Amino acid sequence: MQQRSVDQGFSAVAGKVPAPCLVLAGVSGIQFGAALAPSAYPQAGAAGVVFLRLLIAGLILCVLWRPRRQALKSTKGAWKTVLAAGTLLAGHHIAFFEAVNHIPLGIVATIEFLGPFAIALAGSRRALDLLPACLAAGGVLLLSGGDSTSLPVVGLVLAVVAACCWAGYILVSARMATRLSGGQGLAVAITWAALLSAPYGIVHAGSGLLAPHVLWVAAVVAVVSSVLPYSLNLEALRRIPPRVFGVLTSLEPAAGALFGLLVLGQRLDRCQWLGIAAVACASIAATYLGPGKRRISCVRATSGSLTSHRSADGGCGRARAPQPGAISRLAAGPRRTPGEPDNHGG
C-alpha cells in the first residue's frame, strides 16, 4: 500500500505538469550535474564520480520506490527491458563524463544530441515533422562551429558513444515506462548501471572515492542529475512518444553550453548563441507539431462520447484499451497497480 501511495503521489504531482516541462527540467538537471562533476575529477576521476553518482542514485530510488521482484517477474519482458536500460545508462554515463574530461561540455552535449536527433528523423511520418529536426540540426552545426577544430579524437569518439547509448536508452525507457508503474524499473536499472560501472570506478579512483568533497559532489550530482531527471523523463515518456521526446531533448546542447559558462567559465561566441536559439525554436516547434497535440485536440472534440473513438491512426484510439499516450495517459498518467502486467505492448 505504501508503494502504491508513492506511485500515485508522484504521478499525481507530475501529472499536473506539462510533459515538455518535465523533459526540460530533466535536461537542466543532467547538464548542471555534468558541469558540477569535474570539480571532483582531480581526486576520483570521471570513472569514480560516475560510479558514486549511479550508486547513490540507485540507493535513493530503491528506498523511494521499493521495487519488488514479483512486480518485475509478473510483467512479460520486464527484466530484459530494465537490465538493457541499466546497461545503456552505464555506457552513457562513462562515455559522457570521460568525454567532458577531454572536450568542452557544450560540444559533448551537442554531439550527444545526434542520438535523439536520429530518433526524430527515423520517427517522422510527415514532411512537416522534419522541419523542427532540420532546424535543430542547423543549430547543432552553429553551436559546434566555433570549437570544431583541434578537438581530441578520444573526446569525440566518447561523445559519439554517449550519443548512441542515450538514443538506445530513450527507446528502451519508453518501453519500460509502459510496462512498469512508477519508478520501480528505473530504480533497478540505475542500480544495475552502478554495479556495471563499479569495477571501472574503483580501479581508477581507489581511495579517492572516500574523500569528503568527492562524496558531496557525487551526492548532489546523483540527485539533480539522475534521480530527478530520469524520474521526470520516465513520467514524460508515458505521455509523449519517443520521437517528440528526442526532439525536445535537443535543448541539451543549449543547457550544456549555459551551465558550462556559469559553472566552468566556458564562453561562447555569437555564432554559437545563434545555434542555441535555433535549437530552442526547434524544440518549441516539435512540441506544437508533434502527435501529442493532435491527440489532445481529438480528446477535446470527443469528450462527450467515449464509446466511438476512431482508430489509432486517427489519433484517438479505442476506449476499452487506450494505448500509451492516449486519453488516460494524457489526463492522469498510468493507473496500473505495481506488478500488474501491461497489455499494450511496448
Side-chain angles (χ1 to χ4, degrees):
M1 291 299 293
Q2 185 177 1
Q3 168 60 38
R4 183 175 181 180
S5 176
V6 172
D7 183 8
Q8 293 177 342
F10 179 79
S11 297
V13 173
K16 297 179 181 179
V17 181
C21 293
L22 297 178
V23 179
L24 297 183
V27 166
S28 298
I30 290 172
Q31 295 305 319
F32 173 72
L36 181 63
S39 66
Y41 284 4
Q43 294 170 286
V49 174
V50 167
F51 166 59
L52 284 178
R53 167 189 175 173
L54 290 172
L55 178 62
I56 295 173
L59 292 175
I60 293 175
L61 287 171
C62 284
V63 171
L64 178 63
W65 294 109
R66 296 186 180 180
R68 299 178 181 178
R69 180 181 178 184
Q70 186 61 31
L72 295 170
K73 187 177 180 180
S74 61
T75 303
K76 183 179 179 180
W79 273 112
K80 291 182 179 180
T81 302
V82 168
L83 294 181
T87 302
L88 290 168
L89 273 180
H92 168 266
H93 279 51
I94 292 173
F96 185 92
F97 282 89
E98 286 286 4
V100 173
N101 206 19
H102 292 84
I103 58 180
L105 174 60
I107 304 303
V108 177
T110 299
I111 298 174
E112 183 198 35
F113 166 69
L114 295 177
F117 177 67
I119 295 177
L121 288 180
S124 298
R125 294 294 181 267
R126 305 173 302 167
L128 187 63
D129 292 334
L130 294 176
L131 292 180
C134 292
L135 182 60
V140 167
L141 293 177
L142 289 172
L143 185 61
S144 61
D147 293 309
S148 59
T149 60
S150 302
L151 292 177
V153 176
V154 174
L156 293 174
V157 172
L158 289 170
V160 171
V161 172
C164 295
C165 291
W166 183 237
Y169 174 77
I170 290 174
L171 297 176
V172 173
S173 62
R175 178 177 297 181
M176 185 169 62
T178 61
R179 291 176 181 265
L180 296 168
S181 66
Q184 294 188 82
L186 180 64
V188 177
I190 291 186
T191 302
W192 174 244
L195 292 175
L196 290 178
S197 63
Y200 184 71
I202 294 174
V203 169
H204 284 76
S207 60
L209 294 173
L210 301 179
H213 177 70
V214 173
L215 292 173
W216 176 83
V217 171
V220 173
V221 173
V223 174
V224 303
S225 195
S226 290
V227 176
L228 290 179
Y230 290 124
S231 296
L232 296 177
N233 288 346
L234 196 65
E235 188 66 27
L237 280 166
R238 291 189 170 102
R239 289 186 271 157
I240 57 176
R243 180 180 61 82
V244 177
F245 178 88
V247 179
L248 283 173
T249 54
S250 64
L251 275 176
E252 285 210 19
L258 179 61
F259 286 113
L261 172 64
L262 297 177
V263 180
L264 301 175
Q266 299 171 345
R267 296 185 178 276
L268 301 174
D269 58 28
R270 185 177 303 177
C271 180
Q272 290 172 320
W273 282 114
L274 288 176
I276 290 176
V279 172
C281 291
S283 296
I284 294 173
T287 302
Y288 284 95
L289 295 177
K293 191 73 175 180
R294 298 195 298 275
R295 285 173 182 158
I296 293 175
S297 299
C298 182
V299 170
R300 290 175 178 173
T302 59
S303 59
S305 177
L306 297 179
T307 58
S308 58
H309 296 297
R310 287 172 285 179
S311 64
D313 291 337
C316 296
R318 294 176 294 178
R320 66 181 178 86
Q323 297 295 315
I327 297 174
S328 62
R329 297 290 196 268
L330 290 168
R335 301 180 183 275
R336 298 191 305 276
T337 57
E340 178 181 348
D342 173 70
N343 297 321
H344 304 310

